[in-house]
Amino acid sequence: IFWASANDVRIQRIDKNGNLMWGENGVSITYPGKSIFVFSPSIVTDGNGGAIILWTETIIDNDNSLNLTHPRMFYGQRINAPGQKLWGDNGISMSTPLNYSRVIANYIFNDNDGNYTVVWADKIEESINQQPNSLVDAYYMQKINLNGEMQLPNKVKLFTLPMGYKLENIISDGNGGLFSNVSLSNYDLNNISIYLQKHTSAGLPVFAGEYGI
């Protein structure tokens, strides 16, 4: 199991009898002593009794307030069965933020071949309907192995979601690819469009259109 407080992510292993395996308070994932605020942790088993954890963090100001202009950094960490960190004290950086707005870890999937698919969102500026500098949520994909090594040369952009669009769900296709479900409502609940897209293990769309069919 894992949980997040304002400035920490912790993980605990429990045996079949309910005994705590990694100490009374579990293992702290984030680096001790950092003045941070933690967002959106996610977790998946590593298949060997441990786990891979993703989280986003940002710096807290001296008055302990959350400043939205600070970048949100995106990290990953692997814990083995005895509860030891395998990717350094503070994990590895999963992505450099594109701007000051946000990086959010959303999903991580086991590809069943020793690799994992990671999907996250970043707020970026794009021209939408001839309107320059519109803020949209851009979703990216990367592959990572059990050693914390990126498997794609660069992150792959899956799609962007302007205002009115929403990612409803995203799941593994069982072969290293993804199915994504996007809705368009323009805030009119009586007129909602639902789309389905499939991406290959390289992040390429299979169905026509950015959001699919």
Side-chain angles (χ1 to χ4, degrees), residues 25 125 168 207 212:
N25 297 314
E125 293 184 351
E168 299 289 351
F207 306 146

Side-chain angles (χ1 to χ4, degrees), residues 47-65:
N48 296 291
I52 296 173
I53 306 97
L54 305 177
W55 74 96
T56 306
E57 66 181 51
T58 190
I59 299 170
I60 295 176
D61 285 341
N62 293 332
D63 61 357
N64 291 323
S65 64

Side-chain angles (χ1 to χ4, degrees), residues 180-195:
S180 58
N181 178 211
V182 169
S183 67
L184 168 61
S185 68
N186 286 324
Y187 307 103
D188 180 2
L189 297 181
N190 296 316
N191 186 22
I192 299 177
S193 299
I194 303 294
Y195 298 90

Side-chain angles (χ1 to χ4, degrees), residues 45-103:
T45 177
D46 71 352
N48 296 291
I52 296 173
I53 306 97
L54 305 177
W55 74 96
T56 306
E57 66 181 51
T58 190
I59 299 170
I60 295 176
D61 285 341
N62 293 332
D63 61 357
N64 291 323
S65 64
L66 180 61
N67 188 332
L68 296 180
T69 65
H70 291 316
R72 296 188 183 184
M73 303 299 293
F74 182 23
Y75 293 99
Q77 178 62 272
R78 183 184 173 196
I79 304 294
N80 63 12
Q84 300 166 322
K85 297 180 182 181
L86 298 181
W87 294 349
D89 286 336
N90 197 32
I92 59 173
S93 177
M94 298 295 299
S95 175
T96 301
L98 297 179
N99 58 23
Y100 60 80
S101 187
R102 69 181 186 186
V103 175

